Structure formats: structure tokens, C-alpha cells
Amino acid sequence: MKIMKSDNGDVPGWVLITLMTAGLVVLIWAFAGPALEGVFDQAMSRVVSF
């Protein structure tokens, strides 16, 4: 008889990865947000001026 080991994964590891990913998204958004807003505003002004 073979005993099957339950492999539920590393829950604390996945939580840490998820929190770190969310932190990176917030950090990147903080720096890139104003630049992307400027690009969007410039593109919209060019479209509206036609």
C-alpha cells in the first residue's frame, strides 16, 4: 500500500509573492502614472483638435 502525501503548496510563500507583486505594481504606478497621464492628455488634445 502506497501512502500519498498531500501537497497543498506553500501558502505563506504565495501570500508573500502576492503582496510583493502588489507592492511593485503600486510603486511602478506611482512613478509611471503622471507620465502616462501626460501622454494620454497629449493624445486626446491632438484628437480633439482635428
Side-chain angles (χ1 to χ4, degrees):
M1 183 169 162
K2 190 175 186 181
I3 298 174
M4 301 292 286
K5 180 182 173 189
S6 176
D7 187 14
N8 292 332
D10 184 15
V11 174
W14 283 108
V15 171
L16 182 62
I17 289 171
T18 303
L19 290 175
M20 289 176 67
T21 302
L24 283 173
V25 168
V26 169
L27 184 66
I28 291 170
W29 192 266
F31 286 109
L36 291 174
E37 186 176 347
V39 169
F40 177 76
D41 289 340
Q42 185 180 20
M44 290 304 290
S45 68
R46 287 184 181 178
V47 169
V48 172
S49 67
F50 283 115

